[in-house]
């Protein structure tokens, strides 16, 4: 392998894709025809195969995955498409975000051509093939999770007429996804070093397998896959929850697979999307909801937090689960951002940039701290997007195992790892302080709540609410701003400033139909077919 290829890391993948004219995009709207094929002169060396496999990672979750928070009860956004999914006014004209067969075409192009490479090392070929299968499995998983039954492309199609395929059931496609992940796990290394960090590992394939099974309601299999990751004994929670989502946590013991960014090649957009305007030069495109903030326990484990004897109405964000302030900027918070030493209080009532209702202001009165690069001051950031992490694996295991056999000691131990890292009381202590008894039902509720808090800001809440079928309960009715009717004591009222803000409706949401649990097939795809591809039944 040449020195140039050794220097090729995942962060280069998007740039390389642009140079080769394949996969260059800001989002996952790429819908290139299935009959486009790779230049036959390309497969001349092992370096070509490495570069092609590396390019596949552009189809994995990146920074824009965070927009799924805006489709859930965790977030509110001014991004037009995301907002319509969030308030359930979407339709087939805007549902193409994840409808793309370009990754499948690329994967099968790799499978069809890799054997042509002269003198290629068999171990390297097996590993690269496993990496491509990992990406292929993810792309089909995300499509069937959102669209349900879809056409199943399982070969390199060069004839446009042959690309007009009928739907295959979600269950059957999921079987292929699991098969690819099993094959990938068998040939992927446990870890990488140096420039190869960021490539798929055995743990990444097993973590995705656990998620696939969990989302499919196959709890025995999900628990087993998650336990396989745990039993590798190479992953553990990063000691500092906030720092894990900074560069500190990149390729750490908790980071199973992440999409990489660097200052010199490609920065992420997370500061732009999530960041406070006044403190971080962000744009407040996506804000946390006030209801999410309310859902955090007190630091002593009381739920709701107002039950805690230490609760003070004028200081409602103090004495709370530490993950609140590690994830969300609340009115009055002091957040000493290095580049803005003179503006360090988050104040959506008075600061021009963040003022509720302002051009770049917060809609809810809250802003994100989690995932926003605290160190490198560029328009965006250079911290990785952590797509699969050990904290999620523990929660996946706990949920699946509880559904299988109830709240066993193993279930409680997995959740307690999460709680201990967060500096929160254990499961037993929390249940006791709230006067609850541990059962399968109460543990289910507790685990679902813990998932919301632990994974907030990571885009996974949307997928949880659609698989739990709770949209009618949590995605209907008005979305409000912060309720600061009692005033926020930490905000000074000097110089004409205010520290009160009335609870105000931002928008109303309408998740009132089962069809919202599945996305409509894009109208553009239906129009391009010859009548074989039909709309999802609930959307007809």
């Amino acid at each position: 392998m040449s020195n140039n290829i050794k220097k090729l890391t995942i962060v280069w993948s998007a740039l390389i894709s642009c140079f080769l004219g394949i996969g260059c995009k800001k989002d996952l709207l790429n819908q290139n025809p299935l009959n486009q094929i790779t230049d036959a002169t390309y497969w001349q060396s092992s370096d070509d195969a490495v570069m092609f496999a590396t390019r596949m990672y552009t189809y994995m979750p990146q920074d824009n995955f965070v927009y799924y928070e805006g489709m859930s009860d965790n977030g509110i956004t001014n991004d037009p498409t995301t907002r319509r999914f969030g308030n359930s006014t979407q339709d087939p004209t805007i549902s193409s975000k994840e409808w793309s067969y370009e990754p499948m075409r690329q994967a099968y192009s790799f499978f069809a051509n890799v054997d042509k490479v002269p003198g290629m090392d068999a171990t390297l070929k097996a590993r690269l093939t496993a990496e491509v299968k990992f990406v292929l499995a993810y792309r089909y998983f995300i499509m069937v999770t959102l669209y349900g039954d879809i056409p199943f492309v399982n070969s390199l199609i060069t004839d446009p007429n042959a690309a007009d395929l009928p739907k295959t059931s979600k269950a059957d496609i999921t079987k292929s996804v699991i098969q690819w992940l099993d094959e990938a796990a068998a040939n992927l290394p446990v870890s990488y070093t140096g420039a190869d960090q960021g490539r798929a590992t055995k743990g990444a394939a097993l973590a995705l397998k656990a998620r696939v099974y969990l989302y499919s309601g196959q709890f025995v299999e999900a628990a087993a896959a998650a336990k396989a990751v745990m039993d590798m004994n190479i992953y553990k929670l990063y000691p500092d929850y906030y720092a894990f989502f900074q560069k500190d946590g990149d390729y750490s013991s908790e980071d199973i697979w992440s999409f990489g960014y660097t200052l010199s090649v490609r920065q992420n957009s997370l500061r732009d999307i999530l960041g406070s305007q006044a403190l971080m030069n962000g744009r407040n495109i996506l804000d946390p909801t006030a209801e999410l903030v309310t859902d955090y326990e007190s630091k002593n484990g009381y739920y709701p937090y107002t039950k805690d004897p230490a609760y003070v109405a004028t200081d409602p964000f103090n004495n709370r689960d530490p993950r609140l302030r590690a994830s969300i900027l609340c009115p009055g918070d002091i957040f000493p951002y290095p580049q803005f030493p003179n503006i360090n209080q988050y104040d959506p009532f008075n600061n021009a940039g963040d003022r509720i209702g302002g051009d770049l202001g917060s809609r809810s009165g809250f802003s994100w701290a989690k995932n926003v690069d605290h160190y490198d001051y560029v328009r965006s950031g250079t911290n990785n997007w952590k797509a699969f992490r050990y904290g999620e694996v523990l929660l996946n295991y706990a949920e699946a195992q509880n559904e299988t056999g109830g709240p066993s000691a193993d279930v409680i131990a997995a959740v307690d790892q999460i709680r201990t890292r967060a500096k929160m009381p254990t499961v037993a202590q929390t249940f006791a302080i709230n006067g609850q008894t541990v059962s399968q039902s109460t543990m289910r509720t507790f685990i679902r709540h813990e998932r919301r808090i632990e994974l907030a800001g990571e885009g996974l809440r949307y997928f949880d609410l659609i698989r739990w079928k709770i949209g009618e309960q949590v995605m209907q009715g008005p979305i409000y701003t912060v309720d600061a009717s009692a005033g926020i004591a930490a905000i000074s009222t000097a110089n004409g400033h205010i520290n009160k803000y009335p609870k105000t409706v931002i928008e109303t949401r309408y998740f009132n139909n089962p069809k919202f649990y599945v996305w409509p097939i894009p109208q553009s795809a239906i129009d391009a077919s010859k009548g074989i591809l039909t709309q999802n039944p609930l959307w007809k």
Side-chain angles (χ1 to χ4, degrees):
M1 187 178 297
S2 71
N3 289 334
N4 285 338
I5 294 299
K6 287 181 179 179
K7 294 177 182 177
L8 183 64
T9 61
I10 301 306
V11 295
W12 281 89
S13 56
L15 187 61
I16 292 168
S17 299
C18 292
F19 286 158
L20 295 180
I22 303 171
C24 182
K25 57 192 188 321
K26 292 183 179 179
D27 51 30
L28 297 174
L29 290 172
N30 192 315
Q31 297 184 56
N32 290 342
L34 292 173
N35 62 311
Q36 291 183 0
I37 60 173
T38 304
D39 186 350
T41 64
Y42 179 75
W43 300 92
Q44 301 300 308
S45 69
S46 296
D47 289 354
D48 291 342
V50 172
M51 188 176 293
F52 197 104
T54 300
R55 183 169 64 239
M56 290 296 298
Y57 287 100
T58 61
Y59 303 118
M60 291 297 291
Q62 303 177 31
D63 52 0
N64 62 2
F65 194 83
V66 76
Y67 277 115
Y68 281 107
E69 288 294 280
M71 299 181 192
S72 79
D73 53 344
N74 280 2
I76 179 74
T77 179
N78 64 5
D79 175 71
T81 299
T82 305
R83 190 160 190 168
R84 287 188 61 186
F85 275 91
N87 60 29
S88 299
T89 59
Q90 70 267 41
D91 62 45
T93 67
I94 62 165
S95 62
S96 61
K97 175 180 171 63
E98 298 285 14
W99 187 271
S100 175
Y101 282 89
E102 177 65 9
M104 293 69 167
R105 185 186 71 81
Q106 293 294 328
Y108 282 100
S109 179
F110 178 91
F111 300 149
N113 288 286
V114 68
D115 287 336
K116 300 175 183 177
V117 176
M120 187 171 182
D121 177 76
T123 302
L124 175 61
K125 181 170 70 172
R127 193 204 82 196
L128 295 177
T129 301
E131 292 181 54
V132 174
K133 286 181 178 178
F134 171 73
V135 179
L136 178 63
Y138 177 80
R139 287 307 311 156
Y140 264 122
F141 162 64
I142 201 73
M143 285 185 71
V144 297
T145 298
L146 295 173
Y147 298 101
D149 300 347
I150 59 171
F152 184 45
V153 176
N154 59 358
S155 63
L156 180 61
I157 297 176
T158 58
D159 178 2
N161 294 320
D164 200 9
L165 300 172
K167 292 179 184 176
T168 297
S169 72
K170 175 181 177 179
D172 284 344
I173 295 175
T174 298
K175 290 176 183 177
S176 293
V177 167
I178 294 298
Q179 179 180 336
W180 290 324
L181 291 174
D182 284 339
E183 293 167 353
N187 288 294
L188 288 171
V190 170
S191 63
Y192 297 93
T193 59
D196 282 328
Q197 286 185 318
R199 308 190 83 93
T201 61
K202 179 183 182 72
L206 292 173
L208 176 53
K209 181 180 175 180
R211 191 188 290 181
V212 171
Y213 273 136
L214 185 69
Y215 285 18
S216 299
Q218 297 174 264
F219 298 119
V220 172
E221 295 85 353
K227 189 65 163 57
V229 179
M230 297 160 65
D231 288 346
M232 292 177 71
N233 294 317
I234 62 171
Y235 299 110
K236 61 182 179 180
L237 297 177
Y238 196 76
D240 187 309
Y241 178 79
Y242 171 78
F244 171 70
F245 298 97
Q246 298 291 312
K247 288 192 70 63
D248 311 53
D250 291 357
Y251 310 122
S252 67
S253 60
E254 186 172 356
D255 184 2
I256 297 177
W257 188 85
S258 59
F259 191 94
Y261 295 91
T262 67
L263 183 64
S264 59
V265 177
R266 188 186 185 195
Q267 304 147 18
N268 66 51
S269 301
L270 293 169
R271 179 181 288 121
D272 235 10
I273 298 169
L274 306 175
S276 152
Q277 203 284 323
L279 271 66
M280 305 173 183
N281 199 28
R283 296 179 63 194
N284 277 308
I285 295 173
L286 174 67
D287 301 317
T289 60
E291 193 273 329
L292 169 60
V293 173
T294 300
D295 215 24
Y296 284 78
E297 302 162 48
S298 79
K299 70 177 182 181
N300 295 314
Y302 284 97
Y303 185 81
Y305 71 95
T306 52
K307 288 171 50 180
D308 195 311
Y311 165 67
V312 176
T314 56
D315 193 14
F317 314 117
N318 198 14
N319 192 45
R320 301 286 291 281
D321 182 329
R323 288 172 293 185
L324 171 59
R325 310 295 265 283
S327 302
I328 296 171
L329 286 174
C330 302
D333 279 359
I334 301 297
F335 193 77
Y337 214 77
Q339 290 75 29
F340 296 90
N342 298 320
I343 304 176
N344 58 20
Q345 185 174 59
Y346 179 69
D347 184 353
F349 310 146
N350 301 289
N351 284 352
D354 293 322
R355 186 178 292 122
I356 297 172
D359 289 343
L360 295 177
S362 169
R363 276 151 296 284
S364 64
F366 300 97
S367 190
W368 292 101
K370 185 178 182 179
N371 278 318
V372 182
D373 191 338
H374 192 78
Y375 300 108
D376 291 324
Y377 181 59
V378 291
R379 162 51 81 179
S380 296
T382 60
N383 48 318
N384 290 359
W385 177 256
K386 279 82 171 181
F388 295 93
R389 65 180 180 95
Y390 190 56
E392 184 208 348
V393 169
L394 290 173
L395 290 170
N396 290 350
Y397 173 76
E399 180 181 348
Q401 190 65 23
N402 183 63
E403 294 298 332
T404 299
S408 64
D410 287 346
V411 171
I412 293 173
V415 179
D416 276 346
Q417 286 189 58
I418 299 287
R419 302 278 291 180
T420 299
R421 193 264 296 271
K423 298 180 173 58
M424 287 294 289
T426 64
V427 170
Q429 292 168 337
T430 306
F431 271 73
I433 203 170
N434 288 287
Q436 290 185 309
T437 301
V438 176
S439 67
Q440 185 182 49
S441 177
T442 57
M443 182 56 71
R444 177 185 298 120
T445 300
F446 189 81
I447 291 170
R448 289 185 176 189
H449 179 265
E450 193 66 19
R451 283 184 70 89
R452 185 184 194 187
I453 299 305
E454 173 69 17
L455 304 176
E458 299 178 45
L460 297 175
R461 173 68 174 177
Y462 177 75
F463 296 89
D464 282 347
L465 70 85
I466 61 174
R467 69 186 176 89
W468 293 333
K469 298 293 190 292
I470 60 171
E472 290 91 343
Q473 289 76 52
V474 304
M475 292 292 290
Q476 277 208 83
I479 299 293
Y480 295 98
T481 65
V482 58
D483 184 359
S485 302
I488 303 298
I491 296 178
S492 170
T493 56
N495 302 314
H497 286 183
I498 60 173
N499 70 349
K500 295 183 179 181
Y501 198 89
K503 183 177 180 180
T504 306
V505 175
I506 307 171
E507 73 170 10
T508 301
R509 291 180 164 177
Y510 303 97
F511 200 118
N512 55 8
N513 191 308
K515 71 180 184 180
F516 296 126
Y517 288 114
V518 63
W519 285 16
I521 303 297
Q523 191 61 46
S524 58
I526 293 175
D527 291 344
S529 75
K530 298 177 181 178
I532 295 178
L533 181 60
T534 58
Q535 186 54 267
N536 282 329
L538 289 171
W539 284 91
K540 288 184 177 179

